Amino acid sequence: MKKISCIQLLENKKQAKKSVWLTAYDARSAQIADQAGVDVLLVGDSLGMVVLGYETTVTVSLDEMIAHASAVVRGKKRALVVCDMPFGTYQVSPEQAYENAVKILQQSGCDAVKIEGGMHMAETIHFLSQRGVPVVGHVGLLPQHIKMIGKYRQHGTTDEEREQVINDAKAVEKSGAVAVVLECVPASIASEMSQALTIPTVGIGSGMACDSQVLVWHDLLGISAKNPPFAKAYMDFSSQAEQAISAWSKDVRCSDEDV
Ligand code: KIV
């Protein structure tokens, strides 16, 4: 079993081989996804919303990300583990980003960090990459900007936004990132970027032309109360869990009556 590396992801792109990314937040789910052949486990700061019950990702702390990334690293054998840098831990300066990225890599044992932002994060991505920190970029919809943008929506529908997304993705590549997430951008942009860039594009809500796809664990397995329109649930975990818990509860209550 060969462990996945950042170089391998680039190789996959060269060979037109799609990589599969999935979010993970704990050891057992990491183990299951790893055994299912997922290439990259993303410890996304979606952690805050789908696991910790926060309203947005803005509230997630560095310690929370490190704790969950450590669990994911303990659970997997083959997959590459990427950990999101949470809001406020990398925007001040490249130096601040480097210090916190090193904490994440050293304390969790993960392989790379992901940061949101394109052109305005280019200097930081370059600083980190030059100093041995593999960085995954993230452009298009930036959930950490929710308090500025007001709602989660597609980005790149106007000419101005389209140019912005394209310039952001190119800046991320030029700065030395190992891959770039394209979140909620039109499929035409995702397709154009996947052809233009040498680093793998990782799509979410951006059509199927990307080099890789990522989904949130809870959306894929039908755990989320409501999925975003682009995310198909491949099972209905919530209903099955509810049925199992009800069946067990009934057994418990019946056994009480037996006594
Ligand atoms: O936090 C996250 O899970 C993410 C993915 C949606 C790309 O950033």
Side-chain angles (χ1 to χ4, degrees), residues 8-9 11-19 211-212:
Q8 182 64 50
L9 296 181
E11 260 319 299
N12 287 356
K13 162 130 188 165
K14 274 192 206 146
Q15 294 169 14
K17 208 169 131 191
K18 299 221 175 199
S19 305
D211 303 305
S212 322

Side-chain angles (χ1 to χ4, degrees), residues 23 25 42 44-46 84 114 116 138 181 183 204 214 216:
T23 68
Y25 313 100
L42 171 65
D45 59 359
S46 49
D84 259 342
K114 175 165 80 61
E116 291 186 12
H138 183 148
V181 170
E183 180 161 1
I204 177 158
V214 61
V216 168

Side-chain angles (χ1 to χ4, degrees), residues 25 62-72 74 108:
Y25 313 100
L62 190 64
D63 286 344
E64 286 166 339
M65 290 308 300
I66 291 172
H68 286 268
S70 306
V72 168
R74 286 192 290 272
S108 74

Side-chain angles (χ1 to χ4, degrees), residues 22-242:
L22 181 62
T23 68
Y25 313 100
D26 62 77
R28 179 62 182 138
S29 49
Q31 192 181 30
I32 294 169
D34 194 75
Q35 283 166 357
V38 166
D39 301 299
V40 180
L41 293 169
L42 171 65
V43 189
D45 59 359
S46 49
L47 164 80
M49 295 171 78
V50 299
V51 174
L52 302 177
Y54 300 148
E55 209 171 308
T56 72
T57 58
V58 171
T59 320
V60 179
S61 72
L62 190 64
D63 286 344
E64 286 166 339
M65 290 308 300
I66 291 172
H68 286 268
S70 306
V72 168
V73 169
R74 286 192 290 272
K76 67 93 199 186
K77 283 197 168 78
R78 170 184 169 272
L80 185 95
V81 180
V82 178
C83 179
D84 259 342
M85 294 195 71
F87 183 66
T89 64
Y90 61 92
Q91 291 92 342
V92 173
S93 64
E95 288 80 3
Q96 180 215 25
Y98 185 74
E99 273 178 26
N100 287 324
V102 168
K103 263 188 208 161
I104 292 175
L105 293 188
Q106 289 185 335
Q107 293 180 25
S108 74
C110 76
D111 303 295
V113 297
K114 175 165 80 61
I115 69 180
E116 291 186 12
M119 282 161 72
H120 66 283
M121 277 298 136
E123 191 192 343
T124 298
I125 296 171
H126 183 72
F127 191 91
L128 265 57
S129 308
Q130 288 292 304
R131 286 160 181 78
V133 177
V135 180
V136 173
H138 183 148
V139 306
L141 171 63
L142 306 180
Q144 290 180 8
H145 286 209
I146 189 61
K147 289 180 192 281
M148 284 291 292
I149 59 178
K151 62 176 180 183
Y152 301 104
R153 62 163 182 88
Q154 198 177 47
H155 278 251
T157 45
T158 64
D159 286 350
E160 199 185 327
E161 270 189 12
R162 186 183 176 87
E163 204 183 321
Q164 176 80 52
V165 171
I166 290 173
N167 289 339
D168 279 342
K170 287 183 176 166
V172 164
E173 171 179 63
K174 201 166 165 222
S175 312
V178 296
V180 59
V181 170
L182 304 178
E183 180 161 1
C184 290
V185 306
S188 60
I189 299 186
S191 171
E192 190 182 325
M193 286 299 91
S194 303
Q195 284 171 39
L197 302 183
T198 55
I199 57 171
T201 56
V202 187
I204 177 158
S206 301
M208 292 306 285
C210 292
D211 303 305
S212 322
Q213 292 288 328
V214 61
L215 270 187
V216 168
W217 173 271
H218 293 61
D219 294 340
L220 178 71
L221 300 180
I223 303 171
S224 298
K226 189 168 184 281
N227 272 18
F230 58 81
K232 175 182 162 191
Y234 280 71
M235 68 175 284
D236 187 355
F237 178 89
S238 300
S239 299
Q240 284 184 262
E242 210 176 304

